Amino acid sequence: MLTQLTAAETAAKLRSREVGAVEVAQAHLDRIARLDPEFKAFLTVHPERTLAEAEAAQKRIDAGEAGPLTGVPIAIKDNVSTEGVPTTCASNVLKGYVPPYDATVVSRLREAGLVSLGKTNLDEFAMGTSGENSAFQVTKNPWGRDLVPGGSSSGSAAAVAGELAPLSLGSDTGGSIRMPAALCGIVGYKPTYGRVSRYGLVAFGSSLDQIGPFGRTVEDAALLAEAVSGYDPLDSTSLDVPPVSTEALKDGNVRGLRIALPRQFMGEAIQSGVREALEAALDVLRREGAEVSEIDLPSVAVGVTTYYIIAPAEASSNLARFDGIRYGGQVEGDGHIGVVASTRGGLFGHEVKLRIMVGTYALSAGYYDAYYNRAQQVRAVMAAEFETAFQEFDLVVSPASPIVAFPVGGLSQDPLALKLLDLCTIPANMGGFPSLSIPCGYADDLPVGMLLNGPVGQDERLLQAAYAIERALPWGYRRPPMP
Amino acid sequence: MSISLDEVRHVARLARLDLDESELMAFQGELNQLLGHFGDIQGVDVSGVAPKPHAVALQNVWAEDEPRFGLTREQALRNAANSRAGLFIVPTIIEE
């Protein structure tokens, strides 16, 4: 079946003319039409546009101008701006909003000849850990229809795991790519901050946000990163370095790989099944010649708290733009401020309002030094601890999520417990370093993700290590039990 | 440390969020739960540590000072709740 192929396999079959781009696109559109009413991964699908893009891709293939992913379908998280296609951030504030421009990553997808299937669901404004905060629908995990897919890039992860798309883009501010990748049993990769342009990504926490790929293999995620990364003058935080290279994905050997395992990420907060799966995977790597050493990273114990000061502070500032005047919905009110406050109070969801409130409080007079400034200092300490570890080790590994996929509604009564699930993923956003989750085993027949962190800017080395680890683990990629 | 209902109301006003009483009370509970943990970071030794406001710091990012096309007026107005004669219509700000 065409929808089971990896992106790399699909691209090879397209180049050898074994299949056509329209045929590949139609196979995915058919599967979406059949299964997405249940999965609810997509907020927008646009079959006519998809087929037109597939025809254009086929022309390039026929002309011998195909790139590594030309003709391969992709799904895009609905907080990435797409010209002429609604971009809602799964919020009533942006219901009906149609961007007048493309995000840089979307322009690059077009240049590379990928075929867009549509826009995927998310926690409203990417604020959530489970995927349950969308204003429109709750995406289901292909591993169990009563299970959450993880968030915030819920739809992008579920679409790839459920074979509705071979590739997708998500965004990651505190774990929003890596958490759902872990819960859905696929690869999710947050590149070094600045290697992928944020231009056109609706901002949440600007010093933390990064766009990145989902795929069912490390190679697929790396190929997509290669296509969308690279310097962009439209994003002033863009790093002036070449795109992520996939050249290094040749060596599948973990021998000599120096792996650090922080004790703080293997404690009581981690489900025993997750710990056991990770330890079993590390045992395999040891037998294959990797060196695994336990280390201490003391500051990560306060990582979640630090994050829940910095990210809401930045969000409260970024989301000030949603005033109901220039775009999005508007609610009637008394005078200018009344209209703005009614619109924001009436159309933002609960979690978004909570984070705006937290951020506004943390930045308000009298608290700025005690909270925001202090959190930025702790952030520096945390980044320095990882930098020290990277001088001695190639990778810092941990579980990507402390628990496997859980039932919809299972943790919604305990918002703090949900936030604590970001424990292992947050440091990479704080320090800007690249971080990737790959399936490393199963607990209760549900996927467990291994988080791999590498030093800032060394994305190629991280991907090479991930590629080698993927090959060393004997379990292989397991498809979810679905139709 | 805890936050009073009046403080919650004040923060909501600063954030331009019109909330009813039941929402204010819900947020009071949730804010207090979160703020209860904010003290945790006071235990980290940060003496002499400069704050880190960026993930990967860059300095002096300049753009060439040259004209380029932006959005047309029509594109910029297309998503507005209210527009007329090429302008955004906003609620009255200046009183008679």
Side-chain angles (χ1 to χ4, degrees), chain A residues 457-469:
Chain A
Q458 303 294 319
D459 296 64
E460 286 80 359
R461 276 176 50 200
L462 177 71
L463 290 166
Q464 182 182 13
Y467 184 79
I469 290 171

Side-chain angles (χ1 to χ4, degrees), chain A residues 164-439:
Chain A
L164 305 179
L167 295 172
S168 63
L169 283 179
S171 67
D172 191 312
T173 305
S176 284
I177 291 174
R178 295 159 289 153
M179 163 65 66
L183 267 46
C184 289
I186 57 172
V187 176
Y189 160 44
K190 183 203 85 74
T192 293
Y193 182 87
R195 287 204 77 169
V196 176
S197 169
R198 292 183 298 111
Y199 179 76
L201 171 68
V202 178
F204 163 10
S206 300
S207 81
L208 307 161
D209 296 342
Q210 186 61 191
I211 295 174
F214 289 96
R216 294 194 285 270
T217 64
V218 172
E219 181 184 24
D220 279 8
L223 285 167
L224 180 52
E226 185 174 51
V228 297
S229 59
Y231 177 65
D232 178 17
L234 296 175
D235 173 1
S236 62
T237 59
S238 174
L239 294 177
D240 194 0
V241 296
V244 173
S245 167
T246 55
E247 275 299 298
L249 299 189
K250 300 268 155 55
D251 178 13
N253 196 341
V254 300
R255 183 162 301 282
L257 203 58
R258 297 165 304 167
I259 297 173
L261 178 65
R263 290 184 186 89
Q264 285 76 6
F265 292 141
M266 289 297 265
E268 286 300 304
I270 312 298
Q271 228 169 30
S272 58
V274 170
R275 252 193 329 246
E276 286 157 18
L278 186 71
E279 276 163 2
L282 290 173
D283 277 342
V284 171
L285 299 182
R286 276 195 199 94
R287 282 201 296 278
E288 297 289 323
E291 300 163 26
V292 182
S293 315
E294 291 195 2
I295 63 164
D296 279 306
L297 296 172
S299 72
V300 301
V302 294
V304 174
T305 304
T306 311
Y307 176 81
Y308 275 96
I309 295 171
I310 294 172
E314 294 187 9
S316 71
S317 170
N318 273 325
L319 271 61
R321 74 192 62 180
F322 299 101
D323 57 6
I325 305 291
R326 291 156 299 160
Y327 34 71
Q330 188 181 90
V331 177
E332 283 184 21
D334 189 15
H336 181 259
I337 289 177
V339 167
V340 173
S342 307
T343 298
R344 293 163 59 79
L347 298 181
F348 279 135
H350 184 84
E351 183 66 25
V352 174
K353 286 189 274 195
L354 174 66
R355 300 209 195 183
I356 292 173
M357 296 279 286
V358 171
T360 304
Y361 181 76
L363 291 175
S364 61
Y367 299 109
Y368 181 94
D369 280 332
Y371 295 142
Y372 184 69
N373 205 46
R374 182 96 186 178
Q376 301 281 33
Q377 288 176 299
V378 175
R379 178 182 189 174
V381 171
M382 198 180 307
E385 283 179 9
F386 274 84
E387 278 161 27
T388 304
F390 289 136
Q391 285 169 12
E392 210 178 323
F393 298 97
D394 299 307
L395 298 173
V396 173
V397 310
S398 72
S401 165
I403 63 177
V404 293
F406 51 92
V408 174
L411 285 178
S412 53
Q413 297 311 309
D414 192 350
L416 197 64
L418 263 179
K419 290 176 169 60
L420 288 170
L421 297 182
D422 291 334
L423 167 73
C424 303
T425 49
I426 280 171
N429 303 86
M430 294 290 181
F433 47 82
S435 181
L436 174 147
S437 175
I438 59 168

